[in-house]
Amino acid sequence: MKKYTYTEKKDTRSGFGAGLLEAGKRNPDVVALCADLIGSLKMQDFIKAFPDRFTQVGIAEANMMGIAAGMTIGGKIPFTGTFANFSTGRVYDQIRQSVAYSEKNVKIAASHAGLTLGEDGATHQILEDIGMMKMLPGMTVINPCDYNQTKAATIAAAEYKGPVYLRFGRPVVPVFTDADQKFEIGKAWMVNEGKDVSIFATGHLVWEAIKAGEMLAEMGIDAEIINIHTIKPLDEEAVLKSVVKTRCVVSAEEHNRLGGLGDSIAQLLIKNDPVPMEYVAVDDSFGESGTPEELMTKYGLDAAHIVKAVQAVMARK
Amino acid sequence: MAEAAQLKAIASQVRRDIVRMVHAVQSGHPGGSLGCTDFLTALYFHTMEYKTAPFSMDAVEEDVFFLSNGHISPLFYSVLARAGFFEVKELASFRKINSRLQGHPTTHEHLPGVRVASGSLGQGMSVAIGAAVAKKMNNDQHLVYSLHGDGELQEGQIWEAVLFAAHNKVDNLIATIDVNGQQIDGPTSKVLSLDSLRAKFEAFNWTVMEMNGNDMDEVVAGLDKAKSLTGQGKPICILMKTEMGKGVDFMEGSHEWHGIAPSDEQLAKALAQLPETLGDY
């Protein structure tokens, strides 16, 4: 098992804030909008650097999506900022008609995704957003795993032409990817090569998968761990290549079991190479209040649950 | 910039196009289309500055128009074709399979002249505001126009947009409301009353005008006046009184013709009331 270490913990939303500032420096057409959550989205540095390129829309997310779509007419590259819940379900039809169907170059920056939002509880803990967004034709869906990857993904989203859903989170988590990484949309990252099982993880679950990989190594299991940061378009080649070798799969995500990364992988495998598969995901339920760590344990989204899933799926080989 | 007599002639042809298009596929929305014909004709043949070819999505140094009540697509398509965005004969493909003239307007099939999809109501004002804000960022002095149904104002997003435009002094936007008092289930006064629209928009700090949308001279003068009121720190709203089905006597004034097509006999009767001025497609 390749060794991963970290010296600090940072929130992925701060990676977005840093990436937005950098994207703004690189391209004067990058603009930002926010629905009364500047601090939560870490947009302060962008606003300070480019006050004329920021639009505060107030608590009016539907209007924000429409304005962002309109701003692309005139060549702007708008990033909308609010929580993942209010970036998707609340404004699904606005995104569907004015952004996705209209093929507008809008970047939907969605913070506080999933259970790790914590104490605010289920009203704010969206676990369905990946499913909603990946079902929209032409929508790119990205869920990076740490500060550095989120920063790089934000810069890549600005450079890419087309609608992007960029999902990240609230809590501080280990920073273990390279600071100067090149983020390629749609290209999976090989975290650890192995031969016994393929673990495909996204977002906060990538670090949990690494911890699981270390536990599995002690048990004599050689896990291949692949980071699927881009859920759509899925790196099908990377998935299928890994499965040829390992013959069993575990998917891991901070999302409902229905409609997330696991389903995308399962759909690919059914058609091309059916092998046993287990999901590490929320089992079709809402969340609740608690600390991020408590919630991830209770809802089965930690390293221990990944280990269990690996044992279960290997038994089915 | 066409004269009033020319505009009236164009409007007659556009009305012919509308009833023929809707009749040909036995679907579509003739009522609101006919009611707004004078307005959209004046906008494209008198008021706006734009280029038809090559069509530019970004519309830099051009005026732009957004149709928020997308169901009156027959009118939009006819005016775009007659203005030269695409060939008039393409109107025959309206609502048919493999057509760029979808039931509701879309950019998906790359029809020149359309810059955003509409049909799901309440979204067009936000989009128009976004385009207007982008124009300000780009120091582009051209204007943004939008059209909305009065029933559409029942959508909450509209009022988010109305609030935003005033707060942010989006004074390069002229939003026109088609006040025909009708919606699918009957008069707006019975479905969900919108009365005191002037007071509502004024309370939101917009500049409000009123005009008769079925009097070409008044529409031309009203649009000229609206243009003169831009750049003064407030968005402009035109409350435009129209009659649904205007120009075809048996369709006038009733919500019944919101979304149904005329029969062969009704088509003949309608066309007899609308002189062919530019040649049918």
Side-chain angles (χ1 to χ4, degrees), chain A residues 40-61:
Chain A
S40 297
L41 269 287
K42 304 292 179 188
M43 286 176 148
Q44 301 98 322
D45 291 345
F46 180 89
I47 296 168
K48 203 173 161 196
F50 310 110
D52 298 337
R53 286 155 57 185
F54 173 74
T55 303
Q56 170 65 268
V57 298
I59 309 166
E61 295 82 6

Side-chain angles (χ1 to χ4, degrees), chain A residues 31 52-57 60-63 66-67 69-76 93-94 97-98 101-104, chain B residues 57-58 66 106-110 115-120 123 126-127 129-131 133-134 137-138 157 160-161 164:
Chain A
V31 299
D52 298 337
R53 286 155 57 185
F54 173 74
T55 303
Q56 170 65 268
V57 298
E61 295 82 6
N63 190 38
I67 291 175
M71 289 171 97
T72 67
I73 302 163
K76 300 300 167 200
D93 190 45
Q94 284 77 18
Q97 175 172 286
S98 294
Y101 186 44
S102 293
E103 298 167 323
K104 296 304 182 203
Chain B
M57 179 58 80
D58 284 349
F66 294 100
T106 167
T107 58
H108 202 253
E109 277 71 29
H110 308 292
R115 290 192 171 85
V116 77
S118 61
S120 177
Q123 300 187 27
S126 304
V127 176
I129 289 169
V133 170
M137 287 176 165
N138 291 337
Q157 186 183 347
E160 295 181 2
F164 177 97

Side-chain angles (χ1 to χ4, degrees), chain B residues 4 7-8 11 37-39 41-42 214-221:
Chain B
L7 293 172
K8 286 173 192 171
T37 295
D38 302 303
F39 168 76
T41 301
N214 292 136
D215 178 327
M216 187 60 86
D217 297 323
E218 202 173 312
V219 171
V220 168

Side-chain angles (χ1 to χ4, degrees), chain A residues 121-181:
Chain A
T123 53
H124 289 51
Q125 289 163 340
I126 195 154
L127 294 164
E128 310 93 51
D129 55 325
I130 291 174
M132 282 190 278
M133 290 297 114
K134 79 176 189 184
M135 279 199 293
L136 289 170
M139 182 66 75
T140 292
V141 179
I142 301 173
N143 185 28
C145 65
D146 75 350
Y147 174 95
N148 288 336
Q149 194 179 69
T150 308
K151 181 181 175 185
T154 304
I155 295 164
E159 289 168 355
Y160 168 82
K161 192 160 168 52
V164 173
Y165 179 65
L166 183 61
R167 177 197 214 239
F168 42 90
R170 172 175 181 250
V172 292
V173 292
V175 181
F176 59 94
T177 69
D178 293 340
D180 56 354
Q181 66 190 275

Side-chain angles (χ1 to χ4, degrees), chain B residues 32-62:
Chain B
S33 296
L34 292 166
C36 292
T37 295
D38 302 303
F39 168 76
L40 212 63
T41 301
L43 195 64
Y44 274 83
F45 291 92
H46 169 78
T47 310
M48 291 206 309
E49 291 174 18
Y50 56 87
K51 291 190 278 286
T52 55
F55 171 67
S56 159
M57 179 58 80
D58 284 349
V60 174
E61 299 299 329
E62 290 183 53

Side-chain angles (χ1 to χ4, degrees), chain A residues 196-198 200 239-240 242-250 265-279 313-314 316-317:
Chain A
D196 295 332
V197 59
S198 300
F200 299 110
V239 172
L240 293 172
S242 175
V243 168
V244 163
K245 187 168 51 173
T246 63
R247 308 312 297 155
C248 67
V249 168
V250 168
I265 290 170
Q267 201 171 60
L268 177 72
L269 295 179
I270 287 163
K271 186 163 188 267
N272 294 282
D273 191 0
V275 294
M277 176 171 168
E278 294 285 332
Y279 285 56
V313 83
M314 285 183 66
R316 291 168 55 202
K317 271 214 251 190

Side-chain angles (χ1 to χ4, degrees), chain B residues 17-30 73-74 77 90-99 101-104 259-264 267 281:
Chain B
D17 290 347
I18 291 166
V19 288
R20 294 182 67 235
M21 288 162 74
V22 173
H23 169 264
V25 284
Q26 285 297 296
S27 81
H29 299 77
S73 56
Y77 294 146
E90 196 172 345
L91 294 176
S93 73
F94 174 62
R95 285 188 171 232
K96 291 180 179 164
I97 193 82
N98 299 324
S99 172
L101 279 58
Q102 291 289 295
H104 293 79
I260 60 165
S263 66
D264 293 351
L267 174 70
Y281 64 82

